[in-house]
Amino acid sequence: MDGTVKGVKAAAVRKLEHELGIPVGQLPMDSFKFLTRLHYWAADTVTHGEKSPWGENEIDYVLFVTVHNKDKLTIEPHVDEVDDVCWVTKAKLLEMFADKDLLFSPWFRIIANRWMISSGEETGKGGWWDDLDRTMNTNVFCDYESIHRFDPQEEHLGGGGNAGPLFGVGK
């Protein structure tokens, strides 16, 4: 695997249009940077209760794209897909993560805590957000071979099948 993942990038462009209303062409496929993959699962207990029959168990490709002028990007979120959209600094995101009244998807918390805003202890490289130029223009953060496996945060354990930790790796 060399990082081109054209089908994945095409799907990302389609999903950005479907979920965020970003017109095809505003974020071209070649502007996306493939960084790594992760396998995670989560029971949707936060939204649908302790015994929720709903959940996720998927392998996701992690892509980054930078937007040089947010005022030129059309965002019209689909009401059934997205509750809210806002532009934040790293400090603001950390503040929002600490607010127990705000809901974030389990996969976003995993990606943000593990790689985006990481202290660098695990990789020795800092977080992706710390040096976007290096993240987007080099392959220093790219891991095309691994599929990193993660259990969800505690609030997403359980569900109809009483699921507990599967991989023994959180965050």
Side-chain angles (χ1 to χ4, degrees):
M1 185 176 298
D2 64 3
T4 55
V5 294
K6 290 179 185 175
V8 171
K9 292 177 181 181
V13 170
R14 282 193 314 273
K15 291 307 287 178
L16 285 171
E17 180 180 37
H18 171 78
E19 295 185 10
L20 290 173
I22 299 173
V24 172
Q26 281 197 3
L27 295 173
M29 275 183 19
D30 62 356
S31 65
F32 288 85
K33 175 82 171 191
F34 167 48
L35 294 166
T36 195
R37 296 174 291 177
L38 74 117
H39 179 188
Y40 88 99
W41 70 273
D44 198 357
T45 54
V46 174
T47 307
H48 298 286
E50 185 179 313
K51 296 295 181 187
S52 172
W54 305 107
E56 298 178 317
N57 185 353
E58 56 193 45
I59 295 175
D60 293 329
Y61 284 70
V62 180
L63 305 175
F64 252 42
V65 64
T66 53
V67 176
H68 299 289
N69 185 343
K70 67 182 180 184
D71 296 326
K72 292 188 177 188
L73 186 66
T74 304
I75 299 178
E76 296 175 358
H78 188 287
V79 296
D80 291 335
E81 296 287 345
V82 179
D83 286 333
D84 197 9
V85 175
C86 64
W87 298 93
V88 297
T89 63
K90 185 164 79 168
K92 180 65 176 174
L93 180 61
L94 290 170
E95 181 184 313
M96 292 170 71
F97 276 172
D99 185 338
K100 299 300 180 198
D101 292 328
L102 295 176
L103 295 178
F104 292 89
S105 63
W107 58 262
F108 181 71
R109 281 190 184 268
I110 290 169
I111 292 167
N113 288 323
R114 169 79 165 141
W115 293 300
M116 284 175 48
I117 54 180
S118 167
S119 65
E121 292 174 15
E122 296 164 7
T123 64
K125 302 174 197 168
W128 297 336
W129 205 344
D130 295 321
D131 191 344
L132 281 175
D133 183 60
R134 190 165 69 146
T135 300
M136 297 304 292
N137 297 304
T138 73
N139 290 335
V140 71
F141 293 109
C142 297
D143 180 355
Y144 304 142
E145 302 303 321
S146 301
I147 300 175
H148 303 274
R149 290 173 168 77
F150 295 95
D151 289 320
Q153 299 84 7
E154 188 174 334
E155 66 267 20
H156 291 284
L157 296 174
N162 294 319
L166 176 64
F167 301 122
V169 181
K171 249 186 169 184

